[in-house]
Amino acid sequence: MEAIFRKLERPPSLLALVVLFALFNLLLNYFMPRELALDVRFAYSANEAYNSIQSMGPKVRENYLAVIWILDTAYMLVYLLLFSILIMKISKRKLLVILPLVIFILDLFENLMVTFLLLKFPVESQVLGFIASFFTTTKWLTVGAFCVIFIFCVIRNYVLKNQPDLKLNR
């Protein structure tokens, strides 16, 4: 596994991951019904989930299902690799590499729950709606934590490291 990361952390591979990350973001924004997609919401209720699903209509629901299992799954693999490499390069604490994996797992469970909601529709389950929202919200909280930790590591490693010693001379 470490050999894979060493190959992927080289500038050409890292650049390719960044380009793929941006490309998948554009594709998901284009193909996913952004105003209706549950993946991008935060702390929605089961009723909000079902209102969104009902607003989609049958064809959009079918497309949404395809998008989360084709585009979103590929995107998840790209961001898992990219975020893992970035955190490994910037942090001395290699345990932090678990954060991208947690985001990936939460996103996967979110997709499973949204799939169940879509396939069972028009039958509504408040429990499934709550569980889907739980995974979506927890995913976004973990993404936020990752971003804060990443920014902190960048500041610590590249900004503060290059500053003169801040101790007062006595």
Side-chain angles (χ1 to χ4, degrees):
M1 187 66 138
E2 203 169 308
I4 293 170
F5 281 112
R6 267 189 255 117
K7 285 183 181 182
L8 289 174
E9 72 180 357
R10 294 180 184 148
S13 299
L14 198 53
L15 180 62
L17 284 172
V18 169
V19 168
L20 283 171
F21 179 78
L23 178 64
F24 277 112
N25 268 300
L26 290 172
L27 289 171
L28 285 167
N29 282 321
Y30 181 77
F31 287 108
M32 199 176 272
R34 189 116 181 111
E35 66 282 351
L36 301 175
L38 299 176
D39 308 63
V40 295
R41 293 186 179 195
F42 188 82
Y44 52 85
S45 69
N47 289 336
E48 290 172 312
Y50 284 110
N51 287 341
S52 181
I53 290 170
Q54 184 173 4
S55 297
M56 289 180 191
K59 185 65 179 164
V60 175
R61 283 193 295 272
E62 186 179 313
N63 289 342
Y64 184 37
L65 196 56
V67 166
I68 64 174
W69 288 109
I70 297 168
L71 278 179
D72 196 36
T73 303
Y75 175 62
M76 290 164 44
L77 292 171
V78 168
Y79 76 64
L80 172 64
L81 291 172
L82 178 63
F83 292 175
S84 297
I85 290 163
L86 290 175
I87 204 71
M88 285 176 59
K89 287 180 83 61
I90 203 142
S91 175
K92 294 175 184 161
R93 296 186 179 151
K94 301 305 178 201
L95 185 59
L96 289 176
V97 80
I98 199 163
L99 278 174
L101 182 60
V102 169
I103 295 167
F104 175 88
I105 291 167
L106 290 168
D107 206 351
L108 181 63
F109 279 106
E110 169 196 55
N111 286 353
L112 285 169
M113 292 300 110
V114 170
T115 298
F116 291 145
L117 294 175
L118 290 166
L119 293 176
K120 290 187 168 283
F121 189 80
V123 175
E124 296 183 9
S125 166
Q126 295 295 309
V127 173
L128 276 180
F130 171 78
I131 294 170
S133 178
F134 170 80
F135 283 117
T136 303
T137 302
T138 308
K139 173 190 75 174
W140 285 117
L141 290 172
T142 309
V143 168
F146 175 83
C147 291
V148 168
I149 290 168
F150 184 78
I151 290 167
F152 174 78
C153 289
V154 168
I155 291 169
R156 187 190 67 213
N157 291 347
Y158 297 106
V159 177
L160 297 179
K161 185 178 180 180
N162 296 323
Q163 296 297 312
D165 194 6
L166 298 176
K167 294 179 186 174
L168 295 174
N169 291 331
R170 293 185 190 211

